[in-house]
Amino acid sequence: MKLISNYINGELVAPNSGNYIDLYDPSTGRVYSQVPDSDASDVQKAVDSAQAAFPSWASTSIEERSKILTKIADLIESNIERLAEAESLDNGKPIWLAKKVDIPRASSNMRFFAQAITQFSTQAHEMTDAINYTLRQPLGVVGTISPWNLPLYLFTWKIAPALATGNTVIAKPSEVTPMTAFLLSEICIEAGLPKGVFNIVHGDGLKVGAEITKHPKIKAISFTGSTKVGAEIAKVAAPVFKKVSLEMGGKNPNIIFADCNYEKMLKTTVHSSFSNQGQICLCGSRIFVEKSIYEKFKTDFVERTQALKVGHPKSDSVYLGAVVSKPHYDKILSYIQIAKDEGGKILTGGEAVFPEGYENGWYIAPTIIEGLPYDCRTNQEEIFGPVVTIMPFETEEEVLHYANSTQYGLSSTVWTENISRANRIAKEIHAGIVWINTWLLRDLRTPFGGVKNSGVGREGGFEALQFFTEPKNVCIQF
Ligand code: NAD
């Protein structure tokens, strides 16, 4: 069994307590490794090393920082097979998906910010007898906290801009899926990242995450995870005026008008509903369909969904692997029960699956539910699994009301060939991201994040570089 280590001051080390948490393979339900159960003393060690490394890292040239991040990107790329297998084993997602999406994107994150930092600039404001210019300086030691659904993808999305801007970092991956972050620490050692610049402290959210959040020497927290934990972080960070970026939960609408490109919509809607077992914060879990095509859509969507294979993540023909953990599996099944209790009709799925030879793994059939009002629990609360509802609508006004009715506002998808309508809806919808006639098409330069209870602040492009730097105005009179 390969034990996971913390990565502190450039070395792979055991937690001070010597305690570990079991790590499960979701495809079999068995323990396959252990992750450090770190505590405040490990975080302190990481902070000490990050503080010591900060002056030197902050003063390295942009070219040097860019070069080392590029080297890490290259090494992620050349280790794609190993990393994809590890991601799949840890998370339950199909290996082909990790190879196609998660690991290439982790490499792109490092490469993108290695390049973005070379293009980052500041403003000057001229007066008649003076000039102001803005310095953008790194914050110091910063913390990143990330979730289990896209483990290395979201982990690197945070550390890359933090490191590129000259900060030193204490990162905490999810204790549910820490393996690829651990493998990344080996890659960082190989890439020659100076000691203490980047530290990974593994462990429980309530111990390590909470300690990072409250530690007075950690100047900012970039968090991705649930709205509940985001609120907790905001509460702890506010009184000490810590900078926070919070990327949180969603309940995204997928709005389908009768005039859409039907085949493209149908194909994409299958992916936006069930990709990664529905465990992508951007999945469209509430599907609103214009009444005139509702019955046709229902028949076709159910048929396409029934063709999706659920099974062991190592098989290339499997579309849905296992969901991430036993508690999450129980949560998803409990929401299917809630949907039934609320009067929902299960059109397909609605139950656990037990693939031959892997009966103890955590598999759930892709599930489509109809007959529920827009404001019931099933349609208001985040399920974060392979479960979607479909609902008919008649007017634009009506569907906007439904779409905007939740506490969330992360992303949305709209299908129509009517450009005026597309633009009207894009303006009116409460979401940080609107995809029109597409889904999950990403340009890393764009602002990424949510409104309402889905997010505070934006990641991506220069927004991330701005978050990890402090602007300072310098005014010189002639
Ligand atoms: P989570 O909030 O339970 O955990 C996220 C991270 O926070 C983990 O590393 C966890 O250990 C840590 N944590 C837990 N309690 C903490 C505390 N009190 N203080 C500090 N850190 C703490 O989320 P999860 O279950 O890992 O991930 C699923 C959630 O993430 C879903 O709600 C999903 O929508 C959301 N998500 C959002 C985005 C986005 O970009 N908005 C992307 C991916 C996932």
Side-chain angles (χ1 to χ4, degrees):
M1 188 198 289
K2 185 164 177 162
L3 272 191
I4 292 181
S5 306
N6 285 333
Y7 172 50
I8 298 176
N9 203 26
E11 283 167 19
L12 301 176
V13 293
N16 283 337
S17 65
N19 295 333
Y20 288 82
I21 306 168
D22 284 340
L23 197 54
Y24 289 87
D25 166 3
S27 73
T28 60
R30 282 200 291 264
V31 172
Y32 86 96
S33 181
Q34 287 189 318
V35 59
D37 184 11
S38 310
D39 58 30
S41 67
D42 300 289
V43 174
Q44 187 56 49
K45 217 162 85 180
V47 170
D48 291 343
S49 91
Q51 272 196 297
F54 176 68
S56 151
W57 181 246
S59 59
T60 51
S61 67
I62 282 172
E63 288 70 24
E64 247 173 281
R65 294 204 293 268
S66 176
K67 208 163 122 189
I68 199 152
L69 293 186
T70 304
K71 179 126 192 243
I72 296 171
D74 290 342
L75 285 169
I76 294 175
E77 227 165 76
S78 58
N79 280 281
I80 185 165
E81 299 285 334
R82 196 164 74 93
L83 289 168
E85 278 169 28
E87 202 70 297
S88 164
L89 180 63
D90 224 15
N91 174 280
K93 67 179 70 200
I95 296 179
W96 65 260
L97 183 67
K99 218 184 289 181
K100 189 172 156 209
V101 177
D102 295 72
I103 310 306
R105 174 59 192 274
S107 171
S108 299
N109 288 340
M110 301 307 291
R111 203 177 301 287
F112 173 80
F113 283 108
Q115 291 167 354
I117 193 63
T118 68
Q119 304 301 311
F120 193 42
S121 59
T122 62
Q123 287 184 311
H125 298 88
E126 209 179 329
M127 300 166 77
T128 48
D129 60 344
I131 185 148
N132 296 272
Y133 65 88
T134 310
L135 286 176
R136 277 212 165 257
Q137 297 172 304
L139 304 175
V141 180
V142 298
T144 70
I145 301 174
S146 47
W148 51 255
N149 66 319
L150 299 165
L152 194 64
Y153 175 136
L154 291 172
F155 188 73
T156 49
W157 182 233
K158 296 179 176 303
I159 61 162
L163 292 171
T165 40
N167 300 283
T168 53
V169 177
I170 317 287
K172 191 198 104 54
S174 169
E175 65 279 24
V176 185
T177 55
M179 187 52 90
T180 47
F182 169 59
L183 298 177
L184 183 70
S185 54
E186 294 179 337
I187 284 175
C188 290
I189 293 171
E190 190 181 341
L193 191 67
K195 282 179 191 298
V197 165
F198 172 42
N199 305 273
I200 305 177
V201 185
H202 291 277
D204 186 57
L206 285 172
K207 278 195 205 168
V208 178
E211 189 57 31
I212 290 175
T213 307
K214 71 170 192 249
H215 198 291
K217 299 290 182 206
I218 298 180
K219 301 296 176 199
I221 302 291
S222 174
F223 167 79
T224 298
S226 62
T227 296
K228 186 165 163 263
V229 171
E232 194 52 43
I233 289 175
K235 209 159 69 186
V236 176
V240 289
F241 309 109
K242 203 172 272 204
K243 220 173 170 183
V244 289
S245 165
L246 305 172
E247 298 296 338
M248 303 178 285
K251 189 74 183 176
N252 309 313
N254 179 2
I255 303 174
I256 300 167
F257 286 95
D259 70 352
C260 66
N261 175 336
Y262 189 81
E263 186 48 40
K264 184 180 179 199
M265 174 282 296
L266 187 61
K267 198 171 158 208
T268 311
T269 294
V270 171
H271 295 308
S272 67
S273 302
F274 302 121
S275 188
N276 203 39
Q277 298 71 247
Q279 302 166 138
I280 301 180
C281 53
L282 306 165
C283 278
S285 53
R286 295 178 294 147
I287 305 176
F288 300 104
V289 188
E290 195 167 358
K291 204 168 176 186
S292 60
I293 60 162
Y294 182 81
E295 288 303 323
K296 175 174 167 49
F297 171 80
K298 176 168 125 182
T299 307
D300 294 342
F301 185 44
V302 168
E303 190 188 307
R304 297 274 178 113
T305 299
Q306 285 171 341
L308 302 175
K309 199 171 151 196
V310 182
H312 194 277
K314 73 181 175 209
S315 163
D316 281 345
S317 63
V318 152
Y319 188 81
L320 291 98
V323 302
V324 74
S325 66
K326 178 71 164 66
H328 196 56
Y329 170 84
D330 291 341
K331 177 190 159 181
I332 297 167
L333 292 176
S334 80
Y335 266 99
I336 292 173
Q337 188 55 48
I338 289 170
K340 287 182 191 161
D341 295 345
E342 287 181 320
K345 180 176 171 200
I346 310 286
L347 297 176
T348 187
E351 59 197 7
V353 177
F354 303 93
E356 207 186 323
Y358 305 104
E359 290 82 358
N360 293 323
W362 305 310
Y363 300 89
I364 296 177
T367 300
I368 305 172
I369 304 167
E370 77 162 352
L372 288 171
Y374 75 94
D375 56 355
C376 65
R377 283 188 65 191
T378 310
N379 277 323
Q380 293 289 317
E381 296 175 18
E382 186 182 44
I383 302 173
F384 213 53
V387 180
V388 297
T389 59
I390 60 172
M391 285 161 276
F393 71 88
E394 287 185 67
T395 67
E396 232 175 274
E397 199 186 9
E398 178 193 4
V399 77
L400 268 169
H401 175 64
Y402 297 161
N404 288 339
S405 67
T406 73
Q407 61 164 311
Y408 299 110
L410 185 53
S411 73
S412 54
T413 309
V414 182
W415 293 94
T416 177
E417 292 293 295
N418 178 335
I419 191 168
S420 303
R421 172 153 61 199
N423 284 303
R424 270 198 308 273
I425 302 240
K427 240 173 140 170
E428 295 301 323
I429 207 152
H430 302 161
I433 300 155
V434 185
W435 276 297
I436 294 168
N437 301 330
T438 184
W439 176 71
L440 206 58
L441 184 58
R442 293 279 293 118
D443 178 329
L444 303 189
R445 294 170 301 178
T446 59
F448 179 92
V451 300
K452 300 197 280 186
N453 294 359
S454 287
V456 174
R458 290 292 178 275
E459 298 186 318
F462 291 151
E463 302 263 353
L465 300 180
Q466 277 161 1
F467 174 76
F468 284 114
T469 52
E470 193 75 75
K472 181 191 280 174
N473 187 62
V474 181
C475 177
I476 312 169
Q477 193 165 37
F478 305 141

